[in-house]
Amino acid sequence: MTTTTALPTLGDRFARALPELAVEWRAEEAPDPRLLVLNEPLARRLGLDPDVLRSPDGVRFLVGNLVPDGALPVAQGYAGHQFGGFSPRLGDGRALLLGDLADADGRRFDLHLKGSGRTPFARGGDGRAVVGPMLREHVVSEAMHALGIPTTRSLAVTATGRLVQRETALPGAVLARVASSHLRVGSFQYARGSGDLDLLRRLADHAIAVHHPELADADEPYAELFSAVVAAQARLVARWMLVGFVHGVMNTDNVTISGETIDYGPCAFMDAYDPATVFSSIDSGGRYAYGNQPAVTQWNLARFAEALLPLLDTDEEAAIARATDLLGGFATAYVAAWAGGMRDKLGLPTGLGDEETMDLAEDLLEVLRSGRVDWTTAFRALGRAARGDVEAVRALVLDLPEVDAWLDRWRALEPDADRMDRVNPVYVPRNHLVEEALAAATDGDLAPLERLLEVLAAPYDERPGLERYAEPGPDAGDYQTFCGT
Ligand code: AMP
Ligand code: MG
């Protein structure tokens, strides 16, 4: 029995360009792999036949046990600042890059496995992942994609048939992830730390070839690469802030060069608006709190700049001056993205200035914060207010004179309700809904998960019968997420 010819041909662009960062490796054998969820639209976009992926060979492929001819799975080496402390050698401890493949438009994507067993980077870890957190990454990354936020995507989650020891024994799983690349700030930190300037240059050249081919012939390609990443990350974190997403573990190994959201661990969507919102049980200091995310991104980009210094100028002081200057682009890009996003969320005239937009938005945020108003609900209610029905908004807040004054100011600008509804989601992966779906799936019932995925696939499109998916959770506020994935 062999259907291997139907499996995709995978390229090895990363391992070929950067062998020093790629350790050839194989996945551990999954005793009884079973597909839990397959992203059929994504499979088709990548030219993969869903029926083949569902076949026994396809499922073995999705856990890394059947490697297509010619493919070269590798564990990637990278470093990273974790909660501010530098680890020179992290790397894929439980993940493998299977290779790369093209989508329908000819753009290439990495196919990567998470939970595929110990690698030489595993340190004390068991190399495994469990069903709940891998399904969580599937749900939340696909929700982010549907929201239009740059993200890695999930092709499939496959149960391995092995129990994995955590606080209790839990069913193991492998996530098959798709990303425009897995290059991270931590990749550059690793290359810089190796002291091999040629490696650092090849890594930067590879990043340019993959993400910004137009920069290859620029006068200062590395400075331009840095600026492009600064801009992409500024836009990304602005999108997180606008939708109320808390990543939870913004270590530099989890910051992509592509500007895609990566590594959905203790992430969650904020319910009541509060900049101090933290969900992760291990983030006791609130380093990665909702309101800190832009500053943390900028800090992470400063670490990227440090790694790139030798490529910016042979004179270190000149390189630092150049990097500092370019990093200044972060604040400008962030403000432009956030204010532009707020203009849309509030339906404000596109010609309104950033300052005026921010003044108006910040006054609204203060009303939401003091009333502990649910973020997602508030903006949809404002959409109704823009159509003349202000009661949905008034019902959410405590300080009525204050909100009435704000509404008058805002409505004088004639907000465009249709534009608001196109950018303010009705449905986000609310914590209680995600937990409910994961608990059922862990017990073998995938129906709630499938239903949730359907709802989240069209987040802006309010549909009758889905009211409970739009409501805040019963105990919103005390929710905790765990890193022990
Ligand atoms: P993360 O917080 O998921 O980005 O992971 C941080 C680092 O820990 C990466 O180098 C991972 O490969 C590694 N890691 C996380 N969990 C495990 C595990 N169960 N076994 C081996 N390595 C792990
Ligand atoms: Mg990571």
Side-chain angles (χ1 to χ4, degrees):
M1 183 198 75
T2 171
T3 56
T4 48
T5 50
L7 291 176
T9 305
L10 296 175
D12 60 354
R13 60 179 183 179
F14 178 81
R16 212 157 10 93
L18 300 156
E20 296 92 334
L21 303 184
V23 179
E24 261 184 75
W25 204 252
R26 289 292 167 120
E28 77 177 340
E29 201 63 27
D32 185 19
R34 278 167 207 269
L35 194 56
L36 296 178
V37 50
L38 176 67
N39 187 338
E40 293 205 4
L42 178 60
R44 282 195 211 91
R45 262 202 79 70
L46 294 168
L48 305 173
D49 180 345
D51 291 334
V52 171
L53 292 177
R54 289 184 188 283
S55 74
D57 277 355
V59 173
R60 290 180 63 225
F61 166 71
L62 289 171
V63 293
N65 292 158
L66 184 61
V67 176
D69 290 342
L72 188 72
V74 297
Q76 291 181 299
Y78 49 85
H81 275 88
Q82 299 180 299
F83 290 90
F86 185 61
S87 295
R89 187 183 152 95
L90 288 172
D92 287 335
R94 54 160 174 177
L96 288 178
L97 175 62
L98 281 184
D100 51 275
L101 72 179
D103 75 357
D105 301 325
R107 291 188 309 162
R108 294 202 79 80
F109 289 86
D110 279 358
L111 181 58
H112 167 107
L113 303 179
K114 185 158 158 184
S116 50
R118 286 177 57 84
T119 75
F121 298 105
R123 294 168 290 156
D126 62 4
R128 294 172 182 155
V130 300
V131 164
M134 294 307 100
L135 288 176
R136 182 187 184 80
E137 174 155 344
H138 183 93
V139 171
V140 183
S141 64
E142 285 306 302
M144 293 286 269
H145 173 75
L147 288 162
I149 299 174
T151 179
T152 65
R153 299 195 62 188
S154 171
L155 176 63
V157 178
T158 309
T160 58
R162 180 188 277 111
L163 284 177
V164 174
Q165 195 55 43
R166 292 292 179 259
E167 273 175 29
T168 57
L170 295 167
V174 173
L175 170 85
R177 179 161 79 184
V178 173
S180 65
S181 86
H182 282 80
L183 303 176
R184 314 138 189 271
V185 167
S187 314
F188 284 81
Q189 293 180 293
Y190 189 90
R192 174 78 203 275
S194 75
D196 180 346
L197 188 57
D198 173 65
L199 172 62
L200 183 64
R201 184 171 289 116
R202 268 186 291 120
L203 176 57
D205 288 340
H206 181 67
I208 288 170
V210 169
H211 297 295
H212 301 285
E214 73 285 358
L215 299 182
D217 300 321
D219 287 343
E220 294 186 293
Y222 307 121
E224 298 230 20
L225 170 66
F226 179 65
S227 290
V229 176
V230 166
Q233 284 289 337
R235 287 192 299 267
L236 178 65
V237 72
R239 296 297 304 272
W240 291 357
M241 299 304 284
L242 292 163
V243 81
F245 176 75
V246 184
H247 182 282
V249 59
M250 295 172 68
N251 296 332
T252 56
D253 55 304
N254 293 340
V255 179
T256 56
I257 301 308
S258 64
E260 289 169 358
T261 312
I262 198 170
D263 261 358
Y264 293 82
C267 62
F269 279 71
M270 177 174 65
D271 298 287
Y273 172 65
D274 180 355
T277 302
V278 175
F279 295 106
S280 170
S281 62
I282 62 165
D283 191 5
S284 48
R287 179 180 174 91
Y288 299 141
Y290 170 79
N292 284 353
Q293 295 184 121
V296 167
T297 301
Q298 189 175 20
W299 189 91
N300 287 336
L301 291 166
R303 307 290 77 75
F304 183 36
E306 283 167 3
L308 282 178
L309 282 180
L311 301 182
L312 297 181
D313 202 301
T314 46
D315 174 65
E316 189 175 9
E317 270 185 36
I320 292 172
R322 186 87 176 99
T324 307
D325 178 44
L326 296 173
L327 191 58
F330 178 83
T332 319
Y334 177 74
V335 165
W338 192 85
M342 262 302 163
R343 260 191 303 278
D344 292 337
K345 284 180 86 64
L346 295 174
L348 298 170
T350 47
L352 193 73
D354 287 352
E355 292 243 341
E356 275 171 281
T357 303
M358 286 170 54
D359 281 349
L360 187 67
E362 276 159 16
D363 289 347
L364 171 68
L365 296 193
E366 185 44 35
V367 175
L368 300 184
R369 195 196 58 76
S370 64
R372 292 200 60 77
V373 179
D374 182 82
W375 179 260
T376 306
T377 308
F379 285 93
R380 285 302 284 209
L382 283 167
R384 290 211 229 155
R387 294 190 172 89
D389 169 17
V390 293
E391 289 314 313
V393 173
R394 298 183 88 236
L396 297 172
V397 299
L398 301 173
D399 191 339
L400 288 178
E402 199 180 11
V403 78
D404 285 341
W406 187 88
L407 286 168
D408 286 346
R409 231 170 106 200
W410 170 62
R411 291 184 66 202
L413 294 163
E414 298 178 6
D416 176 346
D418 291 337
R419 209 169 107 233
M420 295 174 69
D421 285 355
R422 284 196 295 273
V423 299
N424 292 318
V426 191
Y427 312 111
V428 294
R430 290 183 177 277
N431 304 319
H432 66 291
L433 298 172
V434 174
E435 289 304 325
E436 169 190 275
L438 299 192
T442 301
D443 286 343
D445 177 11
L446 289 163
L449 179 87
E450 285 161 4
R451 181 87 174 122
L452 181 60
L453 287 169
E454 261 172 48
V455 172
L456 296 173
Y460 303 107
D461 178 11
E462 190 163 6
R463 285 153 283 168
L466 299 184
E467 291 73 14
R468 73 178 288 266
Y469 291 92
E471 283 162 14
D475 54 359
D478 322 317
Y479 184 69
Q480 268 209 327
T481 55
F482 297 90
C483 243
T485 53

PDB file of all heavy atoms in Angstrom, residues 38-55:
ATOM      1  N   LEU A  38      -9.178  18.965  10.380  1.00  0.00           N
ATOM      2  CA  LEU A  38      -8.443  19.275   9.152  1.00  0.00           C
ATOM      3  C   LEU A  38      -9.015  20.554   8.563  1.00  0.00           C
ATOM      4  O   LEU A  38     -10.237  20.692   8.428  1.00  0.00           O
ATOM      5  CB  LEU A  38      -8.597  18.131   8.142  1.00  0.00           C
ATOM      6  CG  LEU A  38      -7.946  18.369   6.776  1.00  0.00           C
ATOM      7  CD1 LEU A  38      -6.424  18.422   6.900  1.00  0.00           C
ATOM      8  CD2 LEU A  38      -8.348  17.274   5.774  1.00  0.00           C
ATOM      9  N   ASN A  39      -8.146  21.469   8.226  1.00  0.00           N
ATOM     10  CA  ASN A  39      -8.547  22.741   7.636  1.00  0.00           C
ATOM     11  C   ASN A  39      -8.613  22.547   6.115  1.00  0.00           C
ATOM     12  O   ASN A  39      -7.619  22.745   5.408  1.00  0.00           O
ATOM     13  CB  ASN A  39      -7.498  23.784   8.042  1.00  0.00           C
ATOM     14  CG  ASN A  39      -7.874  25.184   7.655  1.00  0.00           C
ATOM     15  OD1 ASN A  39      -8.684  25.400   6.748  1.00  0.00           O
ATOM     16  ND2 ASN A  39      -7.277  26.140   8.333  1.00  0.00           N
ATOM     17  N   GLU A  40      -9.780  22.153   5.650  1.00  0.00           N
ATOM     18  CA  GLU A  40      -9.901  21.793   4.229  1.00  0.00           C
ATOM     19  C   GLU A  40      -9.652  22.970   3.289  1.00  0.00           C
ATOM     20  O   GLU A  40      -8.945  22.804   2.290  1.00  0.00           O
ATOM     21  CB  GLU A  40     -11.260  21.139   3.964  1.00  0.00           C
ATOM     22  CG  GLU A  40     -11.370  19.793   4.652  1.00  0.00           C
ATOM     23  CD  GLU A  40     -12.370  18.856   3.977  1.00  0.00           C
ATOM     24  OE1 GLU A  40     -12.936  19.225   2.924  1.00  0.00           O
ATOM     25  OE2 GLU A  40     -12.570  17.754   4.513  1.00  0.00           O
ATOM     26  N   PRO A  41     -10.212  24.156   3.591  1.00  0.00           N
ATOM     27  CA  PRO A  41      -9.931  25.270   2.659  1.00  0.00           C
ATOM     28  C   PRO A  41      -8.439  25.566   2.556  1.00  0.00           C
ATOM     29  O   PRO A  41      -7.921  25.819   1.460  1.00  0.00           O
ATOM     30  CB  PRO A  41     -10.685  26.456   3.286  1.00  0.00           C
ATOM     31  CG  PRO A  41     -11.731  25.839   4.163  1.00  0.00           C
ATOM     32  CD  PRO A  41     -11.162  24.528   4.644  1.00  0.00           C
ATOM     33  N   LEU A  42      -7.741  25.520   3.690  1.00  0.00           N
ATOM     34  CA  LEU A  42      -6.297  25.785   3.655  1.00  0.00           C
ATOM     35  C   LEU A  42      -5.571  24.674   2.903  1.00  0.00           C
ATOM     36  O   LEU A  42      -4.664  24.934   2.105  1.00  0.00           O
ATOM     37  CB  LEU A  42      -5.753  25.925   5.087  1.00  0.00           C
ATOM     38  CG  LEU A  42      -4.243  26.165   5.202  1.00  0.00           C
ATOM     39  CD1 LEU A  42      -3.814  27.452   4.488  1.00  0.00           C
ATOM     40  CD2 LEU A  42      -3.813  26.224   6.674  1.00  0.00           C
ATOM     41  N   ALA A  43      -5.985  23.431   3.153  1.00  0.00           N
ATOM     42  CA  ALA A  43      -5.359  22.316   2.428  1.00  0.00           C
ATOM     43  C   ALA A  43      -5.485  22.542   0.928  1.00  0.00           C
ATOM     44  O   ALA A  43      -4.491  22.456   0.184  1.00  0.00           O
ATOM     45  CB  ALA A  43      -6.024  20.993   2.830  1.00  0.00           C
ATOM     46  N   ARG A  44      -6.675  22.890   0.498  1.00  0.00           N
ATOM     47  CA  ARG A  44      -6.882  23.075  -0.950  1.00  0.00           C
ATOM     48  C   ARG A  44      -6.052  24.209  -1.491  1.00  0.00           C
ATOM     49  O   ARG A  44      -5.477  24.119  -2.575  1.00  0.00           O
ATOM     50  CB  ARG A  44      -8.370  23.313  -1.245  1.00  0.00           C
ATOM     51  CG  ARG A  44      -9.151  22.021  -1.223  1.00  0.00           C
ATOM     52  CD  ARG A  44     -10.534  22.153  -1.859  1.00  0.00           C
ATOM     53  NE  ARG A  44     -11.420  21.218  -1.181  1.00  0.00           N
ATOM     54  CZ  ARG A  44     -12.155  21.520  -0.116  1.00  0.00           C
ATOM     55  NH1 ARG A  44     -12.186  22.767   0.349  1.00  0.00           N
ATOM     56  NH2 ARG A  44     -12.877  20.602   0.473  1.00  0.00           N
ATOM     57  N   ARG A  45      -5.976  25.304  -0.719  1.00  0.00           N
ATOM     58  CA  ARG A  45      -5.148  26.445  -1.162  1.00  0.00           C
ATOM     59  C   ARG A  45      -3.700  26.024  -1.380  1.00  0.00           C
ATOM     60  O   ARG A  45      -2.993  26.589  -2.199  1.00  0.00           O
ATOM     61  CB  ARG A  45      -5.150  27.543  -0.090  1.00  0.00           C
ATOM     62  CG  ARG A  45      -6.129  28.653  -0.340  1.00  0.00           C
ATOM     63  CD  ARG A  45      -5.721  29.925   0.400  1.00  0.00           C
ATOM     64  NE  ARG A  45      -4.649  30.664  -0.283  1.00  0.00           N
ATOM     65  CZ  ARG A  45      -4.801  31.307  -1.429  1.00  0.00           C
ATOM     66  NH1 ARG A  45      -5.953  31.307  -2.053  1.00  0.00           N
ATOM     67  NH2 ARG A  45      -3.784  31.958  -1.972  1.00  0.00           N
ATOM     68  N   LEU A  46      -3.281  25.051  -0.582  1.00  0.00           N
ATOM     69  CA  LEU A  46      -1.885  24.604  -0.681  1.00  0.00           C
ATOM     70  C   LEU A  46      -1.729  23.444  -1.661  1.00  0.00           C
ATOM     71  O   LEU A  46      -0.665  22.822  -1.724  1.00  0.00           O
ATOM     72  CB  LEU A  46      -1.382  24.189   0.704  1.00  0.00           C
ATOM     73  CG  LEU A  46      -1.284  25.337   1.725  1.00  0.00           C
ATOM     74  CD1 LEU A  46      -1.061  24.794   3.122  1.00  0.00           C
ATOM     75  CD2 LEU A  46      -0.161  26.303   1.349  1.00  0.00           C
ATOM     76  N   GLY A  47      -2.793  23.164  -2.382  1.00  0.00           N
ATOM     77  CA  GLY A  47      -2.725  22.099  -3.384  1.00  0.00           C
ATOM     78  C   GLY A  47      -2.708  20.711  -2.760  1.00  0.00           C
ATOM     79  O   GLY A  47      -2.267  19.746  -3.395  1.00  0.00           O
ATOM     80  N   LEU A  48      -3.179  20.611  -1.515  1.00  0.00           N
ATOM     81  CA  LEU A  48      -3.209  19.306  -0.842  1.00  0.00           C
ATOM     82  C   LEU A  48      -4.632  18.769  -0.910  1.00  0.00           C
ATOM     83  O   LEU A  48      -5.594  19.487  -0.605  1.00  0.00           O
ATOM     84  CB  LEU A  48      -2.779  19.449   0.629  1.00  0.00           C
ATOM     85  CG  LEU A  48      -1.422  20.098   0.864  1.00  0.00           C
ATOM     86  CD1 LEU A  48      -1.189  20.335   2.350  1.00  0.00           C
ATOM     87  CD2 LEU A  48      -0.320  19.238   0.274  1.00  0.00           C
ATOM     88  N   ASP A  49      -4.755  17.526  -1.268  1.00  0.00           N
ATOM     89  CA  ASP A  49      -6.072  16.909  -1.411  1.00  0.00           C
ATOM     90  C   ASP A  49      -6.564  16.462  -0.023  1.00  0.00           C
ATOM     91  O   ASP A  49      -5.935  15.603   0.611  1.00  0.00           O
ATOM     92  CB  ASP A  49      -5.918  15.704  -2.353  1.00  0.00           C
ATOM     93  CG  ASP A  49      -7.246  14.981  -2.561  1.00  0.00           C
ATOM     94  OD1 ASP A  49      -8.190  15.215  -1.787  1.00  0.00           O
ATOM     95  OD2 ASP A  49      -7.304  14.167  -3.504  1.00  0.00           O
ATOM     96  N   PRO A  50      -7.680  17.048   0.457  1.00  0.00           N
ATOM     97  CA  PRO A  50      -8.156  16.674   1.797  1.00  0.00           C
ATOM     98  C   PRO A  50      -8.375  15.167   1.944  1.00  0.00           C
ATOM     99  O   PRO A  50      -8.122  14.617   3.027  1.00  0.00           O
ATOM    100  CB  PRO A  50      -9.483  17.432   1.939  1.00  0.00           C
ATOM    101  CG  PRO A  50      -9.336  18.599   1.010  1.00  0.00           C
ATOM    102  CD  PRO A  50      -8.494  18.119  -0.137  1.00  0.00           C
ATOM    103  N   ASP A  51      -8.814  14.498   0.888  1.00  0.00           N
ATOM    104  CA  ASP A  51      -9.033  13.050   0.993  1.00  0.00           C
ATOM    105  C   ASP A  51      -7.715  12.317   1.223  1.00  0.00           C
ATOM    106  O   ASP A  51      -7.663  11.339   1.973  1.00  0.00           O
ATOM    107  CB  ASP A  51      -9.723  12.508  -0.268  1.00  0.00           C
ATOM    108  CG  ASP A  51     -11.157  13.010  -0.360  1.00  0.00           C
ATOM    109  OD1 ASP A  51     -11.742  13.317   0.707  1.00  0.00           O
ATOM    110  OD2 ASP A  51     -11.674  13.130  -1.491  1.00  0.00           O
ATOM    111  N   VAL A  52      -6.690  12.783   0.574  1.00  0.00           N
ATOM    112  CA  VAL A  52      -5.369  12.172   0.786  1.00  0.00           C
ATOM    113  C   VAL A  52      -4.911  12.412   2.226  1.00  0.00           C
ATOM    114  O   VAL A  52      -4.421  11.500   2.895  1.00  0.00           O
ATOM    115  CB  VAL A  52      -4.336  12.725  -0.223  1.00  0.00           C
ATOM    116  CG1 VAL A  52      -2.930  12.272   0.142  1.00  0.00           C
ATOM    117  CG2 VAL A  52      -4.699  12.288  -1.639  1.00  0.00           C
ATOM    118  N   LEU A  53      -5.117  13.643   2.707  1.00  0.00           N
ATOM    119  CA  LEU A  53      -4.685  13.941   4.085  1.00  0.00           C
ATOM    120  C   LEU A  53      -5.465  13.117   5.104  1.00  0.00           C
ATOM    121  O   LEU A  53      -4.952  12.798   6.172  1.00  0.00           O
ATOM    122  CB  LEU A  53      -4.823  15.435   4.387  1.00  0.00           C
ATOM    123  CG  LEU A  53      -3.862  16.342   3.614  1.00  0.00           C
ATOM    124  CD1 LEU A  53      -4.128  17.809   3.937  1.00  0.00           C
ATOM    125  CD2 LEU A  53      -2.405  15.999   3.911  1.00  0.00           C
ATOM    126  N   ARG A  54      -6.700  12.774   4.771  1.00  0.00           N
ATOM    127  CA  ARG A  54      -7.502  11.967   5.700  1.00  0.00           C
ATOM    128  C   ARG A  54      -7.167  10.472   5.620  1.00  0.00           C
ATOM    129  O   ARG A  54      -7.576   9.704   6.476  1.00  0.00           O
ATOM    130  CB  ARG A  54      -9.003  12.149   5.405  1.00  0.00           C
ATOM    131  CG  ARG A  54      -9.535  13.517   5.792  1.00  0.00           C
ATOM    132  CD  ARG A  54     -11.043  13.584   5.571  1.00  0.00           C
ATOM    133  NE  ARG A  54     -11.538  14.950   5.769  1.00  0.00           N
ATOM    134  CZ  ARG A  54     -11.724  15.516   6.955  1.00  0.00           C
ATOM    135  NH1 ARG A  54     -11.472  14.828   8.052  1.00  0.00           N
ATOM    136  NH2 ARG A  54     -12.145  16.766   7.043  1.00  0.00           N
ATOM    137  N   SER A  55      -6.450  10.075   4.593  1.00  0.00           N
ATOM    138  CA  SER A  55      -6.114   8.659   4.431  1.00  0.00           C
ATOM    139  C   SER A  55      -5.059   8.268   5.473  1.00  0.00           C
ATOM    140  O   SER A  55      -4.407   9.140   6.061  1.00  0.00           O
ATOM    141  CB  SER A  55      -5.554   8.418   3.024  1.00  0.00           C
ATOM    142  OG  SER A  55      -4.227   8.932   2.949  1.00  0.00           O
TER     143      SER A  55
END
